[in-house]
Structure formats: structure tokens, C-alpha cells
Amino acid sequence: MNINGLLYISHAALPYLIQSALTSDRKVTDLINISSVSGRKPSAGQAVYSLTKSGVAAFTEALRQETAGLNVRVAVLEPGAVGTELGNHLREDVREQLSNILSHIEVLEAEDIAETIEFIVTRPRRVAVNEILVRPTDQAM
């Protein structure tokens, strides 16, 4: 799902992003993919998730290179621990391990991610933010 959805959406959106970059007042468009800190720092029990998130980052960088010169900025956002329902989809042992790790930190909120995305897309046309890793202040891993 992490990879297939990304491929389908990127394929569908790219022609419109290129056209919009040519015709809009801003003369630039943005495509932002969401990965995870797990794509950089895999953990036991999250092998497949880490694999797919590493793939998101690699795909994003390749797509960034392919769209260079078309005024389509491509970025990957790699959040650390965010307060979402993701933990509900993990095996019980992994959920317990994650809960123990996160019990001592203040996780990121959805608004933190939204503000980071807003930062990326509001840069002047000449500025492309290609990659942002954002973690809770107290998250060690």
C-alpha cells in the first residue's frame, strides 16, 4: 500500500502538476510524499514498514531528479512519532514495545505535520525543500 498508492497518485498527478507549473501565477508546483523516520532507522518488528518507507524516500529523490527543470518541486517528509491510529494496526508485541518507547515522550501532532508541509509549499519558486526529517524533541530513535 505504501508504495502502490504513491506510484498511482504520482502518475496521475504529475501531468497536472507540470501543466500548472507552466500556467499558474506561482510558476511552481509541489508534490510531497510522506515517509517515516523508520525509513532511515529501521526497528525490529517493522521490517516491511521500514522497507516501504525507504522506498518512498528513494522514489521521491528519483522523481525530484526527473522533474528538475519543470518547476515541479518534489519533497519527502519523514516524521517521527505522531499521535495517529497507526499503533492500532501493529502486532501486539510491537505495539507494546512502541508504547513503552513512546510513553516518555510528547509525540508530534497532526498540526505539526501540516505546518511542516505548509513551510515546504510556501517557499519562493527558487527554493526547493527536498527532504525534512521531523521528530518529537525527546525521541531518541
Side-chain angles (χ1 to χ4, degrees):
M1 176 65 176
N2 285 329
I3 298 298
N4 286 341
L6 176 76
L7 294 174
Y8 295 143
I9 293 294
S10 298
H11 178 75
L14 203 52
Y16 297 100
L17 291 169
I18 293 168
Q19 182 62 33
S20 183
L22 291 171
T23 60
S24 72
D25 292 339
R26 291 185 68 221
K27 301 293 183 211
V28 68
T29 56
D30 294 277
L31 176 68
I32 302 171
N33 293 323
I34 307 299
S35 181
S36 169
V37 68
S38 294
R40 286 187 184 213
K41 184 158 178 49
S43 301
Q46 297 185 4
V48 174
Y49 181 75
S50 295
L51 169 69
T52 62
K53 292 306 183 177
S54 293
V56 170
F59 173 79
T60 301
E61 173 56 19
L63 188 60
R64 183 201 65 77
Q65 293 174 26
E66 292 172 13
T67 59
L70 298 175
N71 292 337
V72 177
R73 302 184 296 198
V74 182
V76 63
L77 175 56
E78 300 163 306
V82 182
T84 69
E85 81 290 343
L86 180 62
N88 299 335
H89 303 284
L90 300 174
R91 291 188 332 249
E92 180 62 36
D93 60 320
V94 175
R95 188 176 355 178
E96 186 176 310
Q97 177 187 15
L98 188 60
S99 178
N100 290 337
I101 293 169
L102 299 181
S103 66
H104 299 88
I105 67 171
E106 182 180 3
V107 298
L108 299 172
E109 298 177 3
E111 292 79 18
D112 300 318
I113 304 308
E115 289 172 358
T116 305
I117 292 170
E118 180 182 30
F119 173 78
I120 294 170
V121 303
T122 58
R123 300 306 86 209
R125 191 186 79 70
R126 68 183 177 277
V127 177
V129 177
N130 303 129
E131 184 176 12
I132 292 183
L133 171 64
V134 57
R135 291 183 177 112
T137 301
D138 297 325
Q139 183 177 346
M141 55 180 261

